Amino acid sequence: MAEEDWGQWDTQTEPTYYPKMTYRNSNNSHKNPDDEFIEIESRLAGIIIGKGGSKIKSIQRESEAHVNIIDSDTYGLKTVKISGNASAKERARQIINNIIDENDPDKIRQKIQQESTAYESTIKPISDNDWEQLMKEQEEYQKKKLAALPPIVKHVYKEHQEVTAMSDEEIEAFRFSKNNIMVKHVNEDNNEPIPKPIVHFYHAFKDYPEILEEIKKQNFETPSPVQCQAWPIIMNGHDLIAIAQTGTGKTLAFLLPAFIHLERQAIPRDKRKGPSILVLAPTRELVLQIENEVNKYSYKGIRAMSIYGGASSGKQKECIRQGVEIVIATPGRLNDFVGSNSIDLTDVTFIILDEADRMLDLGFEPQIRVSLLPVRPDRQTIMTSATWPPGVKRLAKSYTTNPIQVMVGSLDLTTVNTVKQEILFMEDEEKELWLDDFLKNINEDDKVIIFVNKKVTVDQLSADLCMKNYNVESIHGGREQCDREMALESMRDGSVSILIATDVASRGIDIHDITVVINYDFTKDIEEYVHRVGRTGRAGKTGLAITLMSRRDWSKAKELIEVMEKSGQDVPPELHDMAKRFEAKKERERAEGGDRPFRGRGRGGGRGYSSYGGGFRGNNRNNW
């Protein structure tokens, strides 16, 4: 096939699922004729084996049969061998059948569809006119309610004399040295002076020795760039929009001022009807990470809890009834609690919308808007984002008042220069062999995240690596929340060194010692590439990001080159060539009057060795 025709090949179809189970008795002379063999999809092997073989041992104990998983003659399948008496084999078959039923993609999709349909049938559409009327009524209600409430104490900062003594030239030079901090009023008509940045922790917290003591316990040496400028702004009572990449200290930038704000309000903590601080974040993992960060700092007995889907809502509601000062929530679960009157937000005076761009990407804007209706309009609002798209600007306009924007680095997508990025060119069928070879050669102290695009790929790859005796964990949106939390904790404590994940883990997963990120599948967009790479090279450490590219990824080559060049990476000639060929194809299509979507497909090729820990690497394929 000519290179011009690559776009006609379609490799993006859904995978074909094999029949659920096939029972057969072996008549081969070298096998026991009484044994039974069940063929299953390869992705199910790891589920049946369980972590450390725990599941298959449980099956054997319960059934009293001997169960073993062996290779199948059919690609994409594994074989379960069952030995024992007839009743034992029957019990084992039933247990395995139940496991397969619970993981059958068609049944899972059907259940999700049924739940979604049932949920949607309870939602009454809101027209634009109804929404405007609702907002007007809410505004009038808020005005009446505010008149009876004490004002919010927002200003909790006194500038240190060393900061006051800094000249404008010194401030400009300091901001530039801190990864080019840029700061401005979003409302260009606002001429109020912007607080100067701080240089040392004591500049911000000299009046709060308990905060300084907690910082000391964490062994931090200097504030991060976003913290240097954000702390004076927040503690001066301004609303803030912080734009910085992940891993830059944004969480601590809003948490420590939130602690002080909470303590300084006129209404005593024990007299408040609900939480004082509300943090919204896009994913369960980020919510739990923020909760863990809060719990590191034992400041004045402040209590925090997380609420998110996938966990018991009853237990979460009970914790809220017992009283907490800080609630960290996903928008969906918070919306449910507000709708059922399970949480009172009328005493919230400080809101953080963390990773606002990601929340909008996930479609949470309606839940955010409805959930925040009970909150005082004069509260202090902090927004963080890695980007500044129109949706985030719209949200900022709705929920902040005269905010100051702090931007660290550039608004352009870029990766940190502490991560070395390698691009390897190979076909999809070569990836598994390369990965096996690579993992055999990693160091004992390496921690690796392998990113793929589909949940089914996570399950299948986990099962295959487990069969090869690798100690792996996996995480994707289809796993139970307790399993996702256990997988992350296993990575943090070092009991597991390999994590296979979808993009649910590309943002907000705070594991500081990840040494290698592998993009087994290229990302759906270049922004997710940046966030995946950002899982390593954190807190000043170095890291390695390896991306496996095939022909079908050639549409992403141009954007990838731009990201790599901005962070000073060596761009392989093959990538430049790939980008040129894709641009040439688009030009040909435009000239022909066609504007059909492109779907590429790779073909076979040779392999060489990579410089990191062995492993195969694509040759210089001029025909790419």
Side-chain angles (χ1 to χ4, degrees), residues 142-155:
Q142 293 283 16
K143 287 179 181 178
K144 294 178 182 178
K145 186 176 70 172
L146 278 177
L149 294 173
I152 298 173
V153 178
K154 298 181 181 179
H155 194 288

Side-chain angles (χ1 to χ4, degrees), residues 208-345:
Y208 306 99
E210 290 170 291
I211 292 282
L212 283 175
E213 188 61 31
E214 291 300 318
I215 292 173
K216 185 178 179 181
K217 290 178 184 177
Q218 303 303 319
N219 296 318
F220 293 130
E221 295 181 0
T222 57
S224 73
V226 69
Q227 292 165 1
C228 289
Q229 188 62 73
W231 282 334
I233 290 173
I234 298 173
M235 295 170 69
N236 263 296
H238 297 284
D239 285 3
L240 172 72
I241 300 168
I243 301 176
Q245 296 296 330
T246 57
T248 53
K250 287 185 289 185
T251 303
L252 209 61
F254 61 70
L255 273 187
L256 296 186
F259 291 160
I260 298 168
H261 173 102
L262 189 155
E263 188 66 21
R264 296 289 292 271
Q265 298 311 304
I267 301 176
R269 280 163 53 179
D270 60 353
K271 301 296 183 183
R272 300 172 200 172
K273 292 175 287 185
S276 302
I277 311 295
L278 175 64
V279 185
L280 284 178
T283 65
R284 308 168 191 175
E285 283 70 30
L286 184 53
V287 163
L288 290 168
Q289 176 192 316
I290 296 170
E291 182 183 27
N292 290 335
E293 198 70 19
V294 173
N295 292 333
K296 290 180 184 177
Y297 302 90
S298 54
Y299 182 71
K300 302 206 180 267
I302 290 174
R303 295 161 297 175
M305 71 161 297
S306 56
I307 61 175
Y308 50 87
S312 170
S313 61
K315 291 181 180 178
Q316 293 173 353
K317 291 175 182 178
E318 180 59 31
C319 288
I320 291 173
R321 283 193 291 269
Q322 292 175 3
V324 293
E325 287 84 18
I326 300 177
V327 165
I328 309 117
T330 54
R333 178 53 62 93
L334 179 67
N335 190 41
D336 292 342
F337 278 33
V338 170
S340 61
N341 294 318
S342 301
I343 188 170
D344 191 331
L345 301 181

Side-chain angles (χ1 to χ4, degrees), residues 110-120:
Q110 185 180 6
K111 182 180 179 182
I112 292 173
Q113 182 62 39
Q114 289 172 345
E115 292 176 350
S116 176
T117 302
Y119 175 73
E120 289 173 0

